């Protein structure tokens, strides 16, 4: 009698600006992982992000060839979601509409735009389906949160959605609670900052972390005095592209201290003599984070189950300790440093395949979402 292996291998692909992370999950556990680093010299030969696909695929195939599994064991492939149109959170089947929008980079160039295409190519190789989970463009803001204060301009959300939702699920599970029935504030603190109020499984309010709204961060400007900023734009005759670059990568701690490393800044601020300038601007960032979190508590009417601090900067106790102390009056403050994107991509696919939630279907027209069932 011939025994057929169980399909329980999920391949996870997460392209970043200068790296591609790939992992194998088998029976609920990560059994292999590799970060494939790409030098700037290697990437500079391509005139667009999407043109890097074949180059990155070669490195991914080399990793897969080194692993001990058979094609008949592969269940699905998960890729990082890219800059699609605003959509609700969930797990989406990769389709032509999604691939067309990402290939055309309709909503900006970003390494994450490669995730769906790489996942689909690998999925085709094994005869399974490809998915993306909670892309950064997930926008679940409630109607009042969209009002900007100026007719014709509407607020929208862009955040570290994948990690925010995954961390919320993980922490709430340790408390005996579910994400779908809880009220949570998650602050992802990294090169950029995204701080959101989550209510019953939806991110109902928060800052646009990609464009640099909210608190300033190591690289982003945060919300600025509008008249003074407009005056600067006019005086320096900045183009829209220059403004975007200024707000997203040349502001925050970089502009004040010429450094974006929280580790370096904390070290300088804490030396025996004490760099008062470094301490002042680090404290300023923490102060603004505290204000944003308290604002989100107001959105939830003070009924908050837990506040979660995550992201790369959450490794620094100089950042998290004052936030834990000053915000404890709102709710317990839990620190979960770093990110769990690979695990989150795997778990999102398995929720669909286990029929715990419906698969979503991306459409590029006005009616974006359709419900569905998992495999």
């Amino acid at each position: 009698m011939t025994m057929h292996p169980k399909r329980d291998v999920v391949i996870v692909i997460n392209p970043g600006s200068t790296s591609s992370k790939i992992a194998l999950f088998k029976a609920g556990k990560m059994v292999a992982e590799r970060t494939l680093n790409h030098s700037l010299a290697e990437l500079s030969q391509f005139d667009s992000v999407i043109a890097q696909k074949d180059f990155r695929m070669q490195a991914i195939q080399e990793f897969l060839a080194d692993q001990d599994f058979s094609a008949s064991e592969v269940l699905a492939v998960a890729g990082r979601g890219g800059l699609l149109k605003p959509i609700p959170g969930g797990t989406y089947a990769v389709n032509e509409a999604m691939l067309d929008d990402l290939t055309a980079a309709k909503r900006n160039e970003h390494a994450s735009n490669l995730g769906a295409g790489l996942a689909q190519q690998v999925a085709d190789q094994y005869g399974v389906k490809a998915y993306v989970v909670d892309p950064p463009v997930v926008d679940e803001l409630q109607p009042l949160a969209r009002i900007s204060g100026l007719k014709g301009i509407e607020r929208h959300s862009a955040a570290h959605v994948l990690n925010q939702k995954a961390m919320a699920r993980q922490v709430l599970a340790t408390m005996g609670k579910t994400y779908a029935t809880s009220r949570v504030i998650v602050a992802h603190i990294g090169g950029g900052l995204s701080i959101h109020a989550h209510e019953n499984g939806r991110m109902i309010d928060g800052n646009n972390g990609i464009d640099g709204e909210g608190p300033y961060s190591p690289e982003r400007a945060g919300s600025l005095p509008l008249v003074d900023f407009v005056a600067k734009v006019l005086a320096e005759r900045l183009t829209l592209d220059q403004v975007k670059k200024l707000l997203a990568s040349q502001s925050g701690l970089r502009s004040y201290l010429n450094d974006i490393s929280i580790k370096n800044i904390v070290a300088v601020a804490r030396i025996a003599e004490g760099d008062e300038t470094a301490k002042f601007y680090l404290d300023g960032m923490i102060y603004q984070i505290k204000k944003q979190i308290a604002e989100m508590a107001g959105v939830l009417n003070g009924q908050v189950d837990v506040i979660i601090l995550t992201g790369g900067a959450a490794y620094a106790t100089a950042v998290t300790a004052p936030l834990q102390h000053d915000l404890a009056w709102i709710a317990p403050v839990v620190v979960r440093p770093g990110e769990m994107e690979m695990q989150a991509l795997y778990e999102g696919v398995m929720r669909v395949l286990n029929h715990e939630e419906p698969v979503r279907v991306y459409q590029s027209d006005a009616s974006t979402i359709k419900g569905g069932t998992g495999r």
Side-chain angles (χ1 to χ4, degrees):
M1 178 178 176
T2 302
M3 298 296 292
H4 296 282
K6 181 181 179 182
R7 285 188 179 271
D8 59 0
V9 170
V10 176
I11 301 169
V12 177
I13 300 168
N14 186 349
S17 57
T18 58
S19 68
S20 298
K21 293 182 181 179
I22 183 166
L24 293 185
F25 286 81
K26 183 177 176 65
K29 295 182 179 179
M30 184 187 291
V31 295
E33 181 183 26
R34 185 179 297 171
T35 298
L36 310 167
N37 293 307
H38 313 303
S39 70
L40 292 177
E42 288 174 319
L43 297 180
S44 65
Q45 63 185 302
F46 303 102
D47 57 7
S48 68
V49 168
I50 209 69
Q52 301 169 13
K53 182 184 173 187
D54 290 343
F55 165 75
R56 297 206 189 212
M57 180 55 68
Q58 181 179 353
I60 290 169
Q61 293 291 3
E62 290 171 359
F63 166 81
L64 293 173
D66 290 340
Q67 308 310 311
D68 183 20
F69 70 97
S70 66
S72 58
E73 292 178 89
V74 178
L75 178 62
V77 182
R80 182 183 181 189
L83 300 185
L84 299 162
K85 66 186 298 182
I87 52 178
T91 298
Y92 289 76
V94 177
N95 60 16
E96 288 303 316
M98 179 185 295
L99 294 174
D100 287 347
D101 280 4
L102 294 173
T103 300
K106 288 184 176 180
R107 290 162 183 86
N108 214 345
E109 292 268 2
H110 195 273
S112 62
N113 289 352
L114 289 161
L118 292 170
Q120 185 63 61
Q121 187 168 333
V122 173
D124 288 344
Q125 177 180 335
Y126 294 104
V128 297
K129 290 185 178 180
Y131 302 87
V132 299
V133 183
D134 288 329
V137 295
V138 164
D139 189 337
E140 301 170 330
L141 297 186
Q142 60 187 352
L144 289 177
R146 298 189 183 281
I147 301 172
S148 70
L150 179 62
K151 186 175 181 179
I153 296 178
E154 187 177 82
R155 294 192 185 280
H156 62 276
S157 179
H160 304 86
V161 180
L162 184 63
N163 192 50
Q164 280 211 29
K165 285 180 175 273
M167 286 294 184
R169 288 187 177 97
Q170 183 188 73
V171 171
L172 287 165
T174 67
M175 300 169 63
K177 298 178 181 292
T178 66
Y179 180 58
T181 59
S182 299
R183 291 181 162 199
V184 189
I185 299 169
V186 184
H188 183 111
I189 312 169
L193 280 166
S194 59
I195 300 174
H196 281 67
H198 300 239
E199 182 176 45
N200 299 333
R202 295 176 64 84
M203 299 170 69
I204 65 169
D205 203 346
N207 65 306
N208 182 331
I210 290 180
D211 289 345
E213 295 177 0
Y216 68 81
S217 75
E219 295 185 272
R220 299 195 188 5
S223 300
L224 298 170
L226 288 177
V227 172
D228 290 343
F229 181 64
V230 171
K232 175 183 177 66
V233 172
L234 294 175
E236 298 181 16
R237 298 182 178 181
L238 301 178
T239 65
L240 180 58
D241 284 344
Q242 288 173 323
V243 168
K244 288 180 178 180
K245 187 174 182 179
L246 176 63
L247 294 177
S249 63
Q250 297 178 340
S251 298
L253 294 177
R254 181 193 291 273
S255 70
Y256 291 120
L257 304 174
N258 197 32
D259 198 341
I260 62 172
S261 167
I262 293 293
K263 183 177 180 180
N264 291 345
I265 293 167
V266 168
V268 170
R270 284 186 161 185
I271 59 176
E273 299 80 40
D275 185 327
E276 292 300 324
T277 300
K279 184 177 186 307
F280 182 73
Y281 289 111
L282 181 65
D283 286 348
M285 185 184 77
I286 296 167
Y287 176 82
Q288 291 194 4
I289 293 170
K290 179 170 64 175
K291 284 203 301 182
Q292 178 83 16
I293 291 174
E295 182 179 327
M296 292 301 102
V299 169
L300 296 174
N301 299 320
Q303 299 174 22
V304 182
D305 292 300
V306 65
I307 298 168
I308 303 168
L309 308 178
T310 184
Y315 284 106
T317 57
V319 173
T320 58
L323 292 172
Q324 285 184 293
H325 178 271
D326 294 349
L327 296 168
W329 60 275
I330 297 174
V333 183
V334 174
V335 179
R336 288 288 187 274
E339 48 82 15
M340 52 178 294
E341 290 185 344
M342 304 301 277
Q343 182 76 26
L345 288 168
Y346 168 73
E347 291 176 355
V349 168
M350 293 311 298
R351 285 194 298 273
V352 163
L353 298 184
N354 291 332
H355 305 284
E356 297 169 17
E357 64 181 51
V359 64
R360 293 186 180 273
V361 180
Y362 180 81
Q363 295 181 341
S364 57
D365 57 20
S367 55
T368 309
I369 304 304
K370 287 184 178 178
T373 57
R375 277 183 52 185

